Amino acid sequence: MSNAKAVSDASFKADVLDSEKTILVDFWAEWCGPCRAVAPILDQIAAEHGDKIEIVKLNVDDNPETAMKYQITSIPALKVYKGGEVVKTIIGAKPKAALESDLAAFI
Amino acid sequence: MREIIIIGSGPAGFTAAIYAARAGLKPLLLASSVEAGGELMNTTEVENFPGFPEGIQGPALMMKLQEQAEKFGTEVVLDDVTSVKLDGDVKVVETGYSGTFEARSVIFATGSAYRKLGLPDEERLSGRGVSWCATCDGFFFKTKTIAVVGGGDSAMEEATFLTRFAEKVYVVHRKDTLRASKIMQDRAFLNDKIEFVWNSEVVGINGENAVEGLTLRDTRTGLQSELPVQGLFVAIGNDPRVHLVHNQLDLTADGTIAVDGRSSRTNLPGVFAAGDVIDAHYRQAATAAASGTVAALDAEEYLAALDQVEHESPAKLAADLVAAE
């Protein structure tokens, strides 16, 4: 899985919603093949654009409350949070160029 | 310049790589960045691949194929091909991040992509109840009522798999008979949670922020009805992935890359194709593997013939004579 910091139901408010930074949350699970595929790409994006966007991951198996709250029905789901609000949702694993273009407004 | 580049990392691509690598051709296999391993990465138990009497998980099978290909010298690159130039003796393949590669021959094993229903709300509600991957998304439909559209093996597999989570699974099919294999049909028929909705096609997906129901049309009477569901899994088949070769390779009426008879030879010399991208009909892991074998053997033969010609060309003979003196 990606090297991103793991957030949880318990820490979601402090780590994501109350953060001053723009945060991308990678909703993932162990059993999800496309999640594994996209993880190294997210690591690359974090390395290159870490000054503008912080990438964290949330395991949906271990944190059903947050997954349910944000109506996750398909993973990987990448949600960008700014000031506690979801400002962008990306569904499914995509190549780096496609993700960068989806995230162009934030990186 | 390389001898051979293989584009695609499903059973066809990796089997072609195993053969080409064992022939000493040091193949380069471009596996894609996020879809490496192909369609089997999204399946669970594979029970019909020869040699695995206990069955094997799709991703595990693909890892074994990759390991076998690498063991004999295949170089695997996890990148996407962005364009190809196939006419001429030197085939040029460009990738997203790994640069441009050149080779004397290319094998296309790019497989196929999930077919969409083509409904206006399908895209909008994808990730909000509409899915193409039961193994990825089934987990989120615990105790929900969902529908699977389709009548083939993959529709039966998805429906059966989804009963692990869902309260009820409707299988919506346009006809009153299934295309699926007997064993998969029987498994679905015996499952208490699965109910078949025959002679029906989905004409509408309803819901504001999430799927709330489907509008179905009876294919015999034309009458429409509503089916309340919270999820829709689309398993209506696949389309060959040929966008890279449009206007370069001849295609068939089915949209697959056209090949010469039972070979893998396309209309361009040195360009071969294998697996689902040439097969709209059988589409099995085992047939794809066989097809990859054919492509590697065809490419080997082609390269050997090229070497022969180069060796016998007058210029080469003259150069050999000078060297001999």
Side-chain angles (χ1 to χ4, degrees), chain B residues 223-259:
Chain B
L223 286 177
Q224 295 202 349
S225 61
E226 301 293 318
L227 184 69
V229 294
Q230 287 108 44
L232 171 65
F233 286 79
V234 183
I236 54 169
N238 296 57
D239 290 312
R241 226 175 276 177
V242 293
H243 59 278
L244 288 170
V245 300
H246 267 300
N247 304 319
Q248 297 195 63
L249 295 183
D250 290 346
L251 303 181
T252 67
D254 288 327
T256 54
I257 295 176
V259 291

Side-chain angles (χ1 to χ4, degrees), chain B residues 188-201:
Chain B
F189 287 144
L190 286 172
N191 194 311
D192 288 342
K193 286 186 174 179
I194 296 179
E195 183 178 332
F196 283 82
V197 184
W198 301 107
N199 301 303
S200 295
E201 59 182 351

Side-chain angles (χ1 to χ4, degrees), chain A residues 29-78:
Chain A
E30 208 64 69
W31 39 262
C32 159
C35 298
R36 273 195 293 277
V38 82
I41 296 173
L42 291 175
D43 284 341
Q44 286 173 28
I45 292 178
E48 288 165 30
H49 305 284
D51 51 332
K52 302 198 187 69
I53 192 164
E54 185 183 348
I55 299 183
V56 300
K57 61 185 174 188
L58 180 122
N59 183 318
V60 298
D61 278 334
D62 301 339
N63 301 284
E65 199 179 295
T66 308
M68 204 178 293
K69 179 172 173 206
Y70 290 98
Q71 297 186 317
I72 304 295
T73 60
S74 187
I75 54 171
L78 310 174

